[in-house]
Amino acid sequence: MRPEDRTRSTLGPLPRRSARRLTGGTLASIALVLVGIASPAVAAVPAAAQAKAVETATANPAGGIGAPCKTSKTRPKPKPKADPAGGQDACRGPRGPRGHKGDTGPEGPEGLQGPQGETGPAGETGAPGAKGTPGAAGTPGATGAPGDTGPQGDTGPRGNTGPAGKTGAPGDTGPQGDTGPAGETGARGATGAPGATGAPGATGTPGATGTPGAAGATGPCIDIDSYSPSNSESFSAALRNNSAYGGRAPNTGAAVVWQNLSGITGYPNRAATGFPCGISIEAQGAFAYIKILTTTGRVYQLQIAVNGTNFTPNTLVGWVDQTPVAPLRREQNVPFKGDMSHGTEPSRN
C-alpha cells in the first residue's frame, strides 16, 4: 500500500517517501513528540492544530528551493525523483532552532489499581503479651437432668459389727408344753424350820403376890420431844445412851436432820451433875431452846438459832445450868419416865 493511502496520523500529514519530503515531515513529527513529552498539555492539542503546526514547519519561510508541500489530496501522486541540485527534497527547509522546554502538564487521572502482589513471607513471632485480667465468673449453668442409673457396683467388704441393740420387750408366753416323764427321786432335803407357835393355853389361876425385891440401879434414859410452830417447820430433841440430839425438819412429819449436842461445853454427863434422863424443846421466833433433866434433878439448857433454815447451837455459851433452888425430885419407889415433875404434879418451869 502506498503511504499516501494510509490512515491519517493524529500528528498531522505525513511526508511522502521522497528524500526531501520524508526528511522534513519526520523532523516535524519528532519535534511535536518531544514537545508532547516535555509538556503533556502540548500533547493534548487537537488534531487540527497539529496539522497546522506541520504545515508551518514544512513551509519554506525564506522562499527557498521549493514551494510549500501539498497533501496527497491536493495534488496528484507523482513518482518520487531526486533533486538535481543535491538529492534534497524540495519540501525540506533548513533546520530550525531547538524549541524551549514546555511547562509540565497537569497530573493525569489516577490509573486503575494493579493486580494484588504475592503474599510476602510471614514475619517473626512477636513476644507473648502480658497476661490479661481474669474475667468475671460467669453465672452457673442450670443443673442438668439426672443421668441414667449406672450398674450396681461390687459388694463392699463387711463392716464392723455395730453395738448391741436394746433388749426387746419379752414376748408372749407360749403354750404350755406336754408334761415330761417323772424324774428320779431326789435326795432327802434338809429339815425345815420349826413351825409357828401354837395358840396360848387358858390363863391359869393367879398365884400369891411375892415380897417386893430391893430397888435396882437406874439404867440409861431414853426420851424424845418435838414442836411444830407451823406446817413448814418442825423441831425435835432426843436422848439415847446418855447423848443428846437436836434437829429440824422442813415440814411436819418429814425426816429430821439430827445433830449430836453432847460435845458442847457444859453438857451434864458425870456424877457431880448427874446423867441426862429427860429432854424437851421449845421454839419461838429466831431461837429454840433444848432442856435436859439429869438423874440428880438438875436442869441444863442450850440456845439454838433457827432463823430461816438454820439449826445452829450457841457453842460460845454452851449448856447453862438452870437448876432451881430446890432440885427436882421424884417420889420414892416411882419409876422415872422422863417427865419433869415435882412430887406428883408435872413441872411447868
Side-chain angles (χ1 to χ4, degrees), residues 227-229 233-235 281-290 304 306 311:
Y227 172 68
S228 297
E233 57 184 353
S234 177
F235 304 100
I281 187 169
E282 60 182 356
Q284 186 66 40
F287 296 98
Y289 299 90
I290 295 179
I304 300 175
V306 293
F311 193 86

PDB file of all heavy atoms in Angstrom, residues 227-229 233-235 281-290 304 306 311:
ATOM      1  N   TYR A 227     -41.674 -30.170 168.455  1.00  0.00           N
ATOM      2  CA  TYR A 227     -42.521 -28.976 168.466  1.00  0.00           C
ATOM      3  C   TYR A 227     -42.580 -28.440 167.035  1.00  0.00           C
ATOM      4  O   TYR A 227     -41.541 -28.286 166.369  1.00  0.00           O
ATOM      5  CB  TYR A 227     -41.954 -27.925 169.411  1.00  0.00           C
ATOM      6  CG  TYR A 227     -42.669 -26.593 169.327  1.00  0.00           C
ATOM      7  CD1 TYR A 227     -43.986 -26.458 169.775  1.00  0.00           C
ATOM      8  CD2 TYR A 227     -42.020 -25.478 168.800  1.00  0.00           C
ATOM      9  CE1 TYR A 227     -44.635 -25.248 169.701  1.00  0.00           C
ATOM     10  CE2 TYR A 227     -42.669 -24.259 168.720  1.00  0.00           C
ATOM     11  CZ  TYR A 227     -43.987 -24.127 169.166  1.00  0.00           C
ATOM     12  OH  TYR A 227     -44.631 -22.932 169.080  1.00  0.00           O
ATOM     13  N   SER A 228     -43.815 -28.139 166.534  1.00  0.00           N
ATOM     14  CA  SER A 228     -44.003 -27.617 165.176  1.00  0.00           C
ATOM     15  C   SER A 228     -44.732 -26.286 165.260  1.00  0.00           C
ATOM     16  O   SER A 228     -45.955 -26.246 165.439  1.00  0.00           O
ATOM     17  CB  SER A 228     -44.812 -28.597 164.314  1.00  0.00           C
ATOM     18  OG  SER A 228     -44.111 -29.813 164.152  1.00  0.00           O
ATOM     19  N   PRO A 229     -44.022 -25.149 165.143  1.00  0.00           N
ATOM     20  CA  PRO A 229     -44.693 -23.854 165.186  1.00  0.00           C
ATOM     21  C   PRO A 229     -45.556 -23.610 163.951  1.00  0.00           C
ATOM     22  O   PRO A 229     -46.470 -22.786 163.988  1.00  0.00           O
ATOM     23  CB  PRO A 229     -43.536 -22.862 165.257  1.00  0.00           C
ATOM     24  CG  PRO A 229     -42.363 -23.577 164.702  1.00  0.00           C
ATOM     25  CD  PRO A 229     -42.560 -25.021 165.030  1.00  0.00           C
ATOM     26  N   GLU A 233     -42.199 -26.107 159.241  1.00  0.00           N
ATOM     27  CA  GLU A 233     -41.001 -26.395 160.013  1.00  0.00           C
ATOM     28  C   GLU A 233     -41.389 -27.197 161.257  1.00  0.00           C
ATOM     29  O   GLU A 233     -42.506 -27.084 161.776  1.00  0.00           O
ATOM     30  CB  GLU A 233     -40.278 -25.112 160.425  1.00  0.00           C
ATOM     31  CG  GLU A 233     -41.135 -24.151 161.212  1.00  0.00           C
ATOM     32  CD  GLU A 233     -40.412 -22.851 161.525  1.00  0.00           C
ATOM     33  OE1 GLU A 233     -39.209 -22.768 161.233  1.00  0.00           O
ATOM     34  OE2 GLU A 233     -41.049 -21.932 162.060  1.00  0.00           O
ATOM     35  N   SER A 234     -40.421 -28.023 161.696  1.00  0.00           N
ATOM     36  CA  SER A 234     -40.633 -28.862 162.877  1.00  0.00           C
ATOM     37  C   SER A 234     -39.293 -29.054 163.565  1.00  0.00           C
ATOM     38  O   SER A 234     -38.268 -29.260 162.888  1.00  0.00           O
ATOM     39  CB  SER A 234     -41.231 -30.218 162.469  1.00  0.00           C
ATOM     40  OG  SER A 234     -41.367 -31.056 163.598  1.00  0.00           O
ATOM     41  N   PHE A 235     -39.267 -28.971 164.959  1.00  0.00           N
ATOM     42  CA  PHE A 235     -38.048 -29.101 165.732  1.00  0.00           C
ATOM     43  C   PHE A 235     -38.188 -30.284 166.681  1.00  0.00           C
ATOM     44  O   PHE A 235     -39.260 -30.528 167.241  1.00  0.00           O
ATOM     45  CB  PHE A 235     -37.773 -27.822 166.522  1.00  0.00           C
ATOM     46  CG  PHE A 235     -37.715 -26.598 165.641  1.00  0.00           C
ATOM     47  CD1 PHE A 235     -38.814 -25.739 165.540  1.00  0.00           C
ATOM     48  CD2 PHE A 235     -36.579 -26.324 164.905  1.00  0.00           C
ATOM     49  CE1 PHE A 235     -38.764 -24.631 164.733  1.00  0.00           C
ATOM     50  CE2 PHE A 235     -36.519 -25.197 164.094  1.00  0.00           C
ATOM     51  CZ  PHE A 235     -37.624 -24.353 163.996  1.00  0.00           C
ATOM     52  N   ILE A 281     -37.980 -29.541 174.116  1.00  0.00           N
ATOM     53  CA  ILE A 281     -37.589 -28.475 173.193  1.00  0.00           C
ATOM     54  C   ILE A 281     -38.745 -27.518 173.037  1.00  0.00           C
ATOM     55  O   ILE A 281     -39.920 -27.905 173.054  1.00  0.00           O
ATOM     56  CB  ILE A 281     -37.155 -29.033 171.816  1.00  0.00           C
ATOM     57  CG1 ILE A 281     -36.595 -27.903 170.931  1.00  0.00           C
ATOM     58  CG2 ILE A 281     -38.296 -29.771 171.130  1.00  0.00           C
ATOM     59  CD1 ILE A 281     -35.909 -28.402 169.663  1.00  0.00           C
ATOM     60  N   GLU A 282     -38.413 -26.207 172.873  1.00  0.00           N
ATOM     61  CA  GLU A 282     -39.391 -25.168 172.596  1.00  0.00           C
ATOM     62  C   GLU A 282     -38.768 -24.199 171.596  1.00  0.00           C
ATOM     63  O   GLU A 282     -37.545 -24.074 171.517  1.00  0.00           O
ATOM     64  CB  GLU A 282     -39.797 -24.447 173.879  1.00  0.00           C
ATOM     65  CG  GLU A 282     -38.627 -23.769 174.572  1.00  0.00           C
ATOM     66  CD  GLU A 282     -39.036 -23.106 175.875  1.00  0.00           C
ATOM     67  OE1 GLU A 282     -40.246 -23.117 176.179  1.00  0.00           O
ATOM     68  OE2 GLU A 282     -38.162 -22.577 176.581  1.00  0.00           O
ATOM     69  N   ALA A 283     -39.595 -23.520 170.823  1.00  0.00           N
ATOM     70  CA  ALA A 283     -39.084 -22.598 169.816  1.00  0.00           C
ATOM     71  C   ALA A 283     -40.051 -21.446 169.660  1.00  0.00           C
ATOM     72  O   ALA A 283     -41.277 -21.634 169.699  1.00  0.00           O
ATOM     73  CB  ALA A 283     -38.896 -23.311 168.468  1.00  0.00           C
ATOM     74  N   GLN A 284     -39.497 -20.252 169.458  1.00  0.00           N
ATOM     75  CA  GLN A 284     -40.301 -19.063 169.216  1.00  0.00           C
ATOM     76  C   GLN A 284     -39.408 -18.029 168.543  1.00  0.00           C
ATOM     77  O   GLN A 284     -38.348 -17.681 169.059  1.00  0.00           O
ATOM     78  CB  GLN A 284     -40.853 -18.498 170.539  1.00  0.00           C
ATOM     79  CG  GLN A 284     -41.814 -17.338 170.371  1.00  0.00           C
ATOM     80  CD  GLN A 284     -43.103 -17.769 169.675  1.00  0.00           C
ATOM     81  OE1 GLN A 284     -43.619 -18.846 169.964  1.00  0.00           O
ATOM     82  NE2 GLN A 284     -43.607 -16.953 168.777  1.00  0.00           N
ATOM     83  N   GLY A 285     -39.861 -17.528 167.379  1.00  0.00           N
ATOM     84  CA  GLY A 285     -39.064 -16.537 166.659  1.00  0.00           C
ATOM     85  C   GLY A 285     -37.814 -17.148 166.076  1.00  0.00           C
ATOM     86  O   GLY A 285     -37.837 -18.187 165.423  1.00  0.00           O
ATOM     87  N   ALA A 286     -36.656 -16.494 166.361  1.00  0.00           N
ATOM     88  CA  ALA A 286     -35.404 -16.903 165.743  1.00  0.00           C
ATOM     89  C   ALA A 286     -34.623 -17.882 166.581  1.00  0.00           C
ATOM     90  O   ALA A 286     -33.518 -18.284 166.191  1.00  0.00           O
ATOM     91  CB  ALA A 286     -34.530 -15.667 165.474  1.00  0.00           C
ATOM     92  N   PHE A 287     -35.161 -18.315 167.765  1.00  0.00           N
ATOM     93  CA  PHE A 287     -34.382 -19.200 168.632  1.00  0.00           C
ATOM     94  C   PHE A 287     -35.245 -20.363 169.118  1.00  0.00           C
ATOM     95  O   PHE A 287     -36.467 -20.255 169.238  1.00  0.00           O
ATOM     96  CB  PHE A 287     -33.829 -18.442 169.843  1.00  0.00           C
ATOM     97  CG  PHE A 287     -32.850 -17.368 169.481  1.00  0.00           C
ATOM     98  CD1 PHE A 287     -33.258 -16.045 169.383  1.00  0.00           C
ATOM     99  CD2 PHE A 287     -31.526 -17.672 169.226  1.00  0.00           C
ATOM    100  CE1 PHE A 287     -32.359 -15.056 169.064  1.00  0.00           C
ATOM    101  CE2 PHE A 287     -30.621 -16.681 168.900  1.00  0.00           C
ATOM    102  CZ  PHE A 287     -31.029 -15.365 168.807  1.00  0.00           C
ATOM    103  N   ALA A 288     -34.564 -21.470 169.394  1.00  0.00           N
ATOM    104  CA  ALA A 288     -35.162 -22.643 170.035  1.00  0.00           C
ATOM    105  C   ALA A 288     -34.318 -22.972 171.255  1.00  0.00           C
ATOM    106  O   ALA A 288     -33.110 -22.640 171.309  1.00  0.00           O
ATOM    107  CB  ALA A 288     -35.222 -23.822 169.070  1.00  0.00           C
ATOM    108  N   TYR A 289     -34.930 -23.657 172.255  1.00  0.00           N
ATOM    109  CA  TYR A 289     -34.215 -23.979 173.497  1.00  0.00           C
ATOM    110  C   TYR A 289     -34.466 -25.453 173.829  1.00  0.00           C
ATOM    111  O   TYR A 289     -35.603 -25.914 173.844  1.00  0.00           O
ATOM    112  CB  TYR A 289     -34.680 -23.095 174.642  1.00  0.00           C
ATOM    113  CG  TYR A 289     -34.433 -21.612 174.382  1.00  0.00           C
ATOM    114  CD1 TYR A 289     -35.405 -20.835 173.759  1.00  0.00           C
ATOM    115  CD2 TYR A 289     -33.235 -21.017 174.753  1.00  0.00           C
ATOM    116  CE1 TYR A 289     -35.183 -19.491 173.517  1.00  0.00           C
ATOM    117  CE2 TYR A 289     -33.006 -19.666 174.517  1.00  0.00           C
ATOM    118  CZ  TYR A 289     -33.976 -18.910 173.885  1.00  0.00           C
ATOM    119  OH  TYR A 289     -33.752 -17.585 173.639  1.00  0.00           O
ATOM    120  N   ILE A 290     -33.358 -26.177 174.086  1.00  0.00           N
ATOM    121  CA  ILE A 290     -33.431 -27.580 174.500  1.00  0.00           C
ATOM    122  C   ILE A 290     -33.044 -27.654 175.977  1.00  0.00           C
ATOM    123  O   ILE A 290     -32.001 -27.119 176.392  1.00  0.00           O
ATOM    124  CB  ILE A 290     -32.505 -28.456 173.630  1.00  0.00           C
ATOM    125  CG1 ILE A 290     -32.994 -28.471 172.173  1.00  0.00           C
ATOM    126  CG2 ILE A 290     -32.441 -29.879 174.194  1.00  0.00           C
ATOM    127  CD1 ILE A 290     -32.125 -29.288 171.255  1.00  0.00           C
ATOM    128  N   ILE A 304     -30.355 -22.361 170.582  1.00  0.00           N
ATOM    129  CA  ILE A 304     -30.081 -22.733 169.176  1.00  0.00           C
ATOM    130  C   ILE A 304     -30.743 -21.692 168.264  1.00  0.00           C
ATOM    131  O   ILE A 304     -31.930 -21.376 168.430  1.00  0.00           O
ATOM    132  CB  ILE A 304     -30.613 -24.135 168.863  1.00  0.00           C
ATOM    133  CG1 ILE A 304     -29.930 -25.168 169.778  1.00  0.00           C
ATOM    134  CG2 ILE A 304     -30.391 -24.480 167.397  1.00  0.00           C
ATOM    135  CD1 ILE A 304     -30.476 -26.559 169.629  1.00  0.00           C
ATOM    136  N   VAL A 306     -32.542 -20.636 164.964  1.00  0.00           N
ATOM    137  CA  VAL A 306     -33.348 -21.366 163.967  1.00  0.00           C
ATOM    138  C   VAL A 306     -33.939 -20.418 162.915  1.00  0.00           C
ATOM    139  O   VAL A 306     -34.917 -20.756 162.255  1.00  0.00           O
ATOM    140  CB  VAL A 306     -34.473 -22.147 164.670  1.00  0.00           C
ATOM    141  CG1 VAL A 306     -33.899 -23.263 165.523  1.00  0.00           C
ATOM    142  CG2 VAL A 306     -35.354 -21.212 165.497  1.00  0.00           C
ATOM    143  N   PHE A 311     -30.166 -24.307 162.036  1.00  0.00           N
ATOM    144  CA  PHE A 311     -30.287 -25.011 163.316  1.00  0.00           C
ATOM    145  C   PHE A 311     -28.880 -25.011 163.901  1.00  0.00           C
ATOM    146  O   PHE A 311     -28.151 -25.999 163.831  1.00  0.00           O
ATOM    147  CB  PHE A 311     -30.813 -26.433 163.131  1.00  0.00           C
ATOM    148  CG  PHE A 311     -31.250 -27.071 164.423  1.00  0.00           C
ATOM    149  CD1 PHE A 311     -32.534 -26.878 164.907  1.00  0.00           C
ATOM    150  CD2 PHE A 311     -30.374 -27.847 165.176  1.00  0.00           C
ATOM    151  CE1 PHE A 311     -32.940 -27.463 166.101  1.00  0.00           C
ATOM    152  CE2 PHE A 311     -30.778 -28.428 166.364  1.00  0.00           C
ATOM    153  CZ  PHE A 311     -32.058 -28.237 166.830  1.00  0.00           C
TER     154      PHE A 311
END
